[in-house]
Amino acid sequence: MRITGTFLDEITHDIPANNWGSTAWTREFRTLKSIGIDTVILIRAGCGRTVAYPSVVLEREVKTYPVYEDLVDLFLTLSEENDMAFYFGTYDSVTFATHQRTMQQHLDLGRALIDEAWKLYGQRSAFKGWYLTFEIGEQDPTRLACLRQLGQHCKELAPKLPTLISPYIAGPKAVATPVSLSDHASSWDQMLGELESVVDIVAFQDGHVDYHELPDFLQANSELISRHGMRAWSNVESFDRDMPFNFPPIDWRKLWWKMEAAAASGVDKLITFEFSHFMSPQSSWPAARHLFMRYCDHFGIDPKPSP
Amino acid sequence: MRITGTFLDEITHDIPANNWGSTAWTREFRTLKSIGIDTVILIRAGCGRTVAYPSVVLEREVKTYPVYEDLVDLFLTLSEENDMAFYFGTYDSVTFATHQRTMQQHLDLGRALIDEAWKLYGQRSAFKGWYLTFEIGEQDPTRLACLRQLGQHCKELAPKLPTLISPYIAGPKAVATPVSLSDHASSWDQMLGELESVVDIVAFQDGHVDYHELPDFLQANSELISRHGMRAWSNVESFDRDMPFNFPPIDWRKLWWKMEAAAASGVDKLITFEFSHFMSPQSSWPAARHLFMRYCDHFGIDPKPSP
Amino acid sequence: MRITGTFLDEITHDIPANNWGSTAWTREFRTLKSIGIDTVILIRAGCGRTVAYPSVVLEREVKTYPVYEDLVDLFLTLSEENDMAFYFGTYDSVTFATHQRTMQQHLDLGRALIDEAWKLYGQRSAFKGWYLTFEIGEQDPTRLACLRQLGQHCKELAPKLPTLISPYIAGPKAVATPVSLSDHASSWDQMLGELESVVDIVAFQDGHVDYHELPDFLQANSELISRHGMRAWSNVESFDRDMPFNFPPIDWRKLWWKMEAAAASGVDKLITFEFSHFMSPQSSWPAARHLFMRYCDHFGIDPKPSP
């Protein structure tokens, strides 16, 4: 079972920039296409003062930094050229808050950004879904409210477009007091209950538990997601969480273990955070190129040479 | 407004070595020339036991490590070949002290090294200035005395050669209790007062405050520096201070925001710390090559292909 | 005095994976051969749940992760093709214990793995020695017992094959309270006494003391090792322990200082941890390629261009 989707991490905060321009991105999308990627997911349209496109809403409300180029337009254009589905990641005012906001203000800002994006890009043929950008692992009323109410807003604007979330397991690589499998399951049973009808797809991050515990967690996630009428994908992280610095490309063997565990759990689709830094032949991490080659070898893919 | 100067970080302590030999340095200087760099600044001639040229003075006083090659001669030769001004960075006995020294001993050692360097290299046509290597952000009597008295010594040896310093703002990325703009201004008004007539050029590091606060700090710096009869440059740092490890090349957008802010503040010149690790097409960080390409695209520079 | 041996770090835990397949490894061994490497040392056959070859013993005892390919066979084959000696690194159940084990269980597991490996690979012509993988710097009864009893087991199985250890100095880059030279010497005099007749070669890691203190420590080690009838090698570490993140390739000058100090101490052989990440022209760290070029320049080696 191959990875057929990837995040695009271009409002990055903890991943050093590749510093690609449109030529490199054009080449990248061809590489993505050549190995079977059909879905790209913008991690977020903006975060704090940084924004991926010239947003009048955010400039007015947040005093954004200047926007160098319209990355949403670029990614939509390249998605169209390569016949891919583009998921638009919403604005994150929570994670790196530039000032205190009330819950209502978070929601108002999130909705205003979604409205603006839909007006600007909603007619583009590659605009195929929404990614609700708030990552959540345990009970967190602010994030859960953002997911629910902003997800609801997306569904009202575009009833046919799916909404995607990518939560995490509160495991030993995420928190000091790791959750047990049964507490994880009961906690997420409740949270997914609150997200029914506004979230269509759940792609848990797979990097926060040890490799030998991952199959059981993936199995539990898959069952929970089905029970709530959603589709299960797996976010097979391609960076290594076990190294002395954050983050190099992952060891191929770990990626393989995680892909096998995800396939066994019965998910519909594998996506990754994220190809361009950690698996791409043109990544700034040379080990990513070798990870790409191991991945292609494994699946018998004959990669197109980069021009 | 382009970057026309760069530090040379070859007595490095927190930047991993590129491990270049003279062939790579020769190529590097041609690249520097091709994008308009006219000034190179050796960050320091020595630090603790490590030294950039075979210094009899330091070998006697500090028990230096063996010197593999004379980097000062190499950089002067390449500066001459490429018509650049070379600034000689002084010896740092303070930052990584190998043993306790009195203030007088620091100054004696600093002056002895300056005398030796002037005798060895002072007649070289590219030797165009001194860089007083002590970085200072807040009141620090030792560093301020080093700057004042070693700067004075340089001016006595070579009255026509400019002296350069590159202090930092005690902002949130430098210290736990960040300075306010007004405290920064009054503190530096006093410190620059003590450096009048011995310091000619002040190039504040631009990386320690948030991007939205930078314009006001740069504006204040520019006015302070003029008031004290000095010239203002800006040290547009090309490494990223916002990442989980120290330091990858900076995101192009951040570099652009900072260059714009510096230009608006009315500085005479932009320099960077530093091109060879963080912006060079032959850097050990592949993202640096892409940063170089973004920079060249932005200014319409057609870079010479590296041989 | 050149480096003629290297570790192979392929059950890695704190070094990001290169993600090489057999083509890259084949190229790597040719590079090793071209610069005079005649000895390769597998750092460990397994560690915790991760293992370098399909081990029935470990799968049964530890619930290992799936093994993608038999790296021991690959490395033996490449060693044979390139006329190199291969040292087999034993299993480490101690450093990253997956559950509590008694001393007896550690030893039983270690011996079972050694028996299995000897049965599988002992007849291979490149199988020339054992590397006892437990790193030790100060008194540590568990590790010392593993070294002594597992070394004894190796000698019983294969009396003619040498056993190698690579301990560390408990210096300022290893521990909070660095050992003095005299305490180091007396502590290691005792420990080596306990390892007589089961350990043939001792290659101290050279990275945990300051460069100016290293010559004295190396001299002391060399004398101690001779006194106990063992052979002294030096493990000239090719990664940099002085940087803000762990670990980039070392500054060439530091490698040179350390090689000079080791040669002066009279060791028989220089090995390194390790070539493929930190000195190889095809390493994932581009600075490694430049370190390789500095090394070749220094010794007048004309490296074969990588295909």
Side-chain angles (χ1 to χ4, degrees):
Chain A
M1 187 170 184
R2 295 189 191 181
I3 295 169
T4 54
T6 182
F7 283 92
L8 301 170
D9 184 44
E10 270 301 303
I11 297 299
T12 197
H13 64 95
D14 60 357
I15 311 286
N18 270 326
N19 283 317
W20 290 349
S22 59
T23 304
W25 277 114
T26 300
R27 188 186 306 130
E28 184 72 355
F29 270 69
R30 284 190 201 131
T31 301
L32 292 173
K33 173 95 176 165
S34 77
I35 62 157
I37 300 286
D38 58 25
T39 304
V40 294
I41 305 146
L42 182 65
I43 187 76
R44 52 186 79 85
C47 177
R49 297 182 195 275
T50 311
V51 59
Y53 69 95
S55 165
V56 174
V57 165
L58 281 184
E59 193 180 9
R60 184 183 63 221
E61 300 294 329
V62 189
K63 301 199 194 312
T64 49
Y65 299 131
V67 174
Y68 192 72
E69 61 190 329
D70 185 336
L71 290 170
V72 176
D73 178 66
L74 175 65
F75 293 148
L76 279 166
T77 300
L78 293 172
S79 296
E80 286 155 5
E81 287 175 14
N82 293 281
D83 202 24
M84 293 175 187
F86 174 86
Y87 280 63
F88 178 89
T90 56
Y91 175 67
D92 186 347
S93 64
V94 174
T95 309
F96 307 92
T98 53
H99 62 270
Q100 291 299 321
R101 283 194 187 86
T102 63
M103 189 66 239
Q104 191 57 46
Q105 287 169 324
H106 282 303
L107 293 172
D108 288 347
L109 190 50
R111 277 188 286 250
L113 193 287
I114 288 168
D115 289 341
E116 179 184 59
W118 183 243
K119 193 169 162 195
L120 285 170
Y121 307 110
Q123 302 313 308
R124 298 290 293 264
S125 61
F127 198 119
K128 297 287 195 190
W130 305 94
Y131 171 62
L132 305 173
T133 197
F134 305 94
E135 299 175 29
I136 183 170
E138 298 172 294
Q139 293 290 351
D140 178 332
T142 301
R143 283 163 188 271
L144 202 60
C146 285
L147 288 173
R148 191 173 53 241
Q149 300 206 33
L150 299 181
Q152 177 65 32
H153 193 70
C154 292
K155 299 305 287 185
E156 286 166 6
L157 273 186
K160 292 186 181 171
L161 291 197
T163 52
L164 164 67
I165 65 172
S166 187
Y168 62 90
I169 301 163
K173 301 182 193 180
V175 295
T177 312
V179 73
S180 69
L181 178 56
S182 63
D183 284 353
H184 168 81
S186 63
S187 168
W188 272 99
D189 193 21
Q190 183 189 339
M191 287 196 277
L192 291 180
E194 297 188 44
L195 296 173
E196 272 185 29
S197 86
V198 300
V199 167
D200 299 296
I201 309 166
V202 181
F204 269 95
Q205 303 171 28
D206 73 352
H208 294 95
V209 297
D210 284 336
Y211 305 98
H212 65 285
E213 297 182 311
L214 185 62
D216 288 346
F217 275 92
L218 290 178
Q219 194 66 46
N221 289 342
S222 205
E223 290 167 14
L224 280 167
I225 294 164
S226 291
R227 186 183 314 154
H228 290 281
M230 301 164 178
R231 270 182 286 156
W233 294 0
S234 190
N235 178 357
V236 186
E237 294 177 347
S238 43
F239 57 97
D240 204 316
R241 289 189 182 271
D242 307 323
M243 291 294 134
F245 64 91
N246 289 348
F247 299 102
I250 201 169
D251 189 308
W252 155 246
R253 293 166 291 190
K254 296 176 183 175
L255 191 74
W256 174 58
W257 299 334
K258 299 195 301 178
M259 288 192 297
E260 295 284 303
S265 77
V267 297
D268 284 352
K269 188 180 182 78
L270 305 184
I271 62 175
T272 187
F273 184 94
E274 43 84 276
F275 188 87
S276 300
H277 284 91
F278 303 115
M279 290 186 72
S280 171
Q282 65 174 347
S283 164
S284 291
W285 293 108
R289 180 167 179 271
H290 287 282
L291 181 58
F292 177 76
M293 290 163 68
R294 294 290 74 66
Y295 179 86
C296 290
D297 283 352
H298 180 73
F299 286 115
I301 300 169
D302 183 18
K304 303 289 174 297
S306 295
Chain B
M1 188 172 185
R2 294 188 192 182
I3 295 169
T4 55
T6 181
F7 283 93
L8 301 170
D9 184 44
E10 270 301 304
I11 298 299
T12 196
H13 64 94
D14 61 357
I15 311 285
N18 270 327
N19 283 317
W20 290 349
S22 59
T23 304
W25 278 114
T26 300
R27 188 186 306 131
E28 183 73 354
F29 270 69
R30 285 192 200 129
T31 301
L32 292 172
K33 172 94 175 165
S34 78
I35 62 156
I37 300 286
D38 58 25
T39 303
V40 294
I41 305 145
L42 184 65
I43 186 78
R44 52 185 81 84
C47 179
R49 298 181 193 275
T50 310
V51 60
Y53 70 94
S55 165
V56 174
V57 165
L58 282 184
E59 192 178 11
R60 186 183 63 222
E61 300 293 330
V62 189
K63 300 198 196 315
T64 48
Y65 298 131
V67 174
Y68 193 72
E69 62 190 327
D70 184 336
L71 290 170
V72 176
D73 178 66
L74 175 65
F75 293 149
L76 280 164
T77 300
L78 292 172
S79 297
E80 286 155 4
E81 287 176 13
N82 292 282
D83 203 26
M84 294 176 187
F86 174 86
Y87 281 64
F88 179 90
T90 56
Y91 176 67
D92 186 347
S93 64
V94 175
T95 309
F96 307 91
T98 53
H99 61 270
Q100 290 299 323
R101 283 195 186 83
T102 64
M103 190 66 237
Q104 192 56 48
Q105 287 169 325
H106 282 304
L107 293 172
D108 288 347
L109 191 50
R111 278 188 286 250
L113 193 287
I114 287 168
D115 289 341
E116 181 184 59
W118 183 244
K119 194 168 162 196
L120 286 169
Y121 307 110
Q123 302 312 310
R124 299 290 293 265
S125 61
F127 198 119
K128 297 286 193 189
W130 304 94
Y131 171 63
L132 305 172
T133 197
F134 305 94
E135 298 174 30
I136 184 170
E138 299 172 293
Q139 293 290 350
D140 177 333
T142 302
R143 285 162 187 272
L144 202 59
C146 285
L147 288 173
R148 190 173 55 240
Q149 300 206 34
L150 298 181
Q152 177 64 32
H153 193 69
C154 292
K155 299 306 286 184
E156 286 166 5
L157 273 186
K160 291 186 181 169
L161 291 198
T163 52
L164 164 68
I165 64 173
S166 187
Y168 61 91
I169 300 163
K173 301 181 194 181
V175 296
T177 313
V179 72
S180 69
L181 178 56
S182 63
D183 285 353
H184 169 80
S186 63
S187 168
W188 272 98
D189 194 20
Q190 183 188 339
M191 288 196 276
L192 291 180
E194 297 188 45
L195 297 174
E196 271 186 29
S197 86
V198 300
V199 166
D200 298 296
I201 309 166
V202 181
F204 270 94
Q205 302 170 30
D206 73 353
H208 294 95
V209 298
D210 284 336
Y211 304 98
H212 64 285
E213 298 183 310
L214 185 62
D216 288 345
F217 275 92
L218 289 179
Q219 194 65 46
N221 288 343
S222 205
E223 290 167 15
L224 279 168
I225 293 164
S226 291
R227 185 186 313 155
H228 290 281
M230 301 164 178
R231 269 181 288 156
W233 294 0
S234 191
N235 179 356
V236 186
E237 295 177 345
S238 42
F239 57 97
D240 204 315
R241 289 189 182 272
D242 307 324
M243 291 295 135
F245 64 91
N246 289 347
F247 300 102
I250 201 169
D251 188 309
W252 154 248
R253 293 166 291 190
K254 296 178 182 174
L255 192 75
W256 174 59
W257 299 333
K258 299 196 301 178
M259 288 193 297
E260 295 284 302
S265 77
V267 296
D268 284 352
K269 188 178 181 78
L270 305 185
I271 62 175
T272 186
F273 184 94
E274 42 83 278
F275 187 88
S276 300
H277 284 91
F278 303 115
M279 289 186 72
S280 171
Q282 65 174 347
S283 164
S284 290
W285 293 108
R289 180 167 180 271
H290 287 282
L291 180 59
F292 177 76
M293 289 163 69
R294 294 289 74 66
Y295 180 86
C296 289
D297 283 353
H298 180 73
F299 286 114
I301 300 169
D302 183 17
K304 302 288 174 299
S306 296
Chain C
M1 188 172 184
R2 294 188 193 181
I3 295 170
T4 55
T6 182
F7 283 92
L8 301 170
D9 184 45
E10 269 301 303
I11 298 299
T12 198
H13 64 95
D14 60 358
I15 312 286
N18 270 327
N19 282 318
W20 290 348
S22 60
T23 304
W25 277 114
T26 300
R27 189 185 306 130
E28 183 74 354
F29 270 69
R30 284 190 201 130
T31 300
L32 292 172
K33 173 96 176 164
S34 77
I35 62 157
I37 300 287
D38 57 24
T39 303
V40 294
I41 305 145
L42 183 65
I43 187 76
R44 52 185 80 84
C47 178
R49 298 182 193 273
T50 311
V51 59
Y53 70 95
S55 165
V56 174
V57 165
L58 283 184
E59 192 180 11
R60 185 184 62 223
E61 300 294 330
V62 190
K63 301 199 196 312
T64 48
Y65 298 131
V67 174
Y68 192 73
E69 60 190 330
D70 185 336
L71 290 170
V72 177
D73 177 66
L74 174 66
F75 294 149
L76 279 165
T77 299
L78 293 172
S79 297
E80 286 155 4
E81 287 176 13
N82 292 282
D83 204 26
M84 294 176 187
F86 175 86
Y87 281 62
F88 178 89
T90 55
Y91 175 67
D92 187 346
S93 63
V94 175
T95 309
F96 307 92
T98 52
H99 62 270
Q100 290 300 321
R101 282 194 188 84
T102 65
M103 191 65 237
Q104 191 58 46
Q105 288 169 325
H106 282 304
L107 293 172
D108 288 346
L109 191 50
R111 277 189 286 251
L113 192 287
I114 288 168
D115 289 341
E116 179 185 59
W118 183 243
K119 194 169 162 195
L120 285 170
Y121 307 111
Q123 302 312 309
R124 298 289 294 264
S125 61
F127 197 119
K128 297 287 195 188
W130 304 93
Y131 171 64
L132 305 172
T133 197
F134 305 94
E135 298 175 31
I136 182 170
E138 299 172 294
Q139 293 291 350
D140 177 332
T142 301
R143 283 163 187 270
L144 202 59
C146 285
L147 289 173
R148 190 173 56 240
Q149 300 206 34
L150 298 182
Q152 178 65 32
H153 193 70
C154 292
K155 299 305 285 185
E156 287 166 6
L157 273 186
K160 292 187 179 168
L161 291 198
T163 51
L164 164 68
I165 65 173
S166 188
Y168 62 90
I169 301 163
K173 300 182 193 179
V175 295
T177 312
V179 73
S180 69
L181 179 56
S182 63
D183 284 353
H184 169 80
S186 63
S187 168
W188 272 98
D189 195 19
Q190 183 189 338
M191 287 196 276
L192 291 180
E194 297 188 45
L195 297 173
E196 272 185 29
S197 87
V198 301
V199 167
D200 298 296
I201 310 165
V202 181
F204 270 95
Q205 302 171 29
D206 74 352
H208 294 94
V209 299
D210 284 336
Y211 305 97
H212 65 285
E213 297 183 310
L214 184 62
D216 287 346
F217 275 92
L218 290 178
Q219 194 65 46
N221 288 343
S222 204
E223 290 167 14
L224 279 168
I225 293 164
S226 291
R227 186 184 313 155
H228 290 281
M230 301 163 177
R231 271 182 285 156
W233 294 0
S234 192
N235 179 357
V236 187
E237 294 177 346
S238 42
F239 57 96
D240 205 315
R241 289 188 182 272
D242 308 323
M243 291 294 134
F245 64 90
N246 289 348
F247 300 101
I250 201 168
D251 189 308
W252 155 247
R253 294 167 289 191
K254 297 176 183 174
L255 191 75
W256 175 59
W257 300 333
K258 299 195 301 175
M259 287 193 297
E260 295 284 301
S265 77
V267 296
D268 284 352
K269 187 179 182 79
L270 306 184
I271 62 175
T272 187
F273 183 93
E274 41 84 273
F275 187 88
S276 300
H277 285 91
F278 303 115
M279 291 186 70
S280 171
Q282 65 173 348
S283 165
S284 291
W285 293 108
R289 180 167 180 271
H290 287 282
L291 180 58
F292 177 77
M293 289 164 69
R294 295 289 72 67
Y295 179 87
C296 290
D297 283 352
H298 180 73
F299 286 115
I301 300 169
D302 183 17
K304 303 288 172 299
S306 294

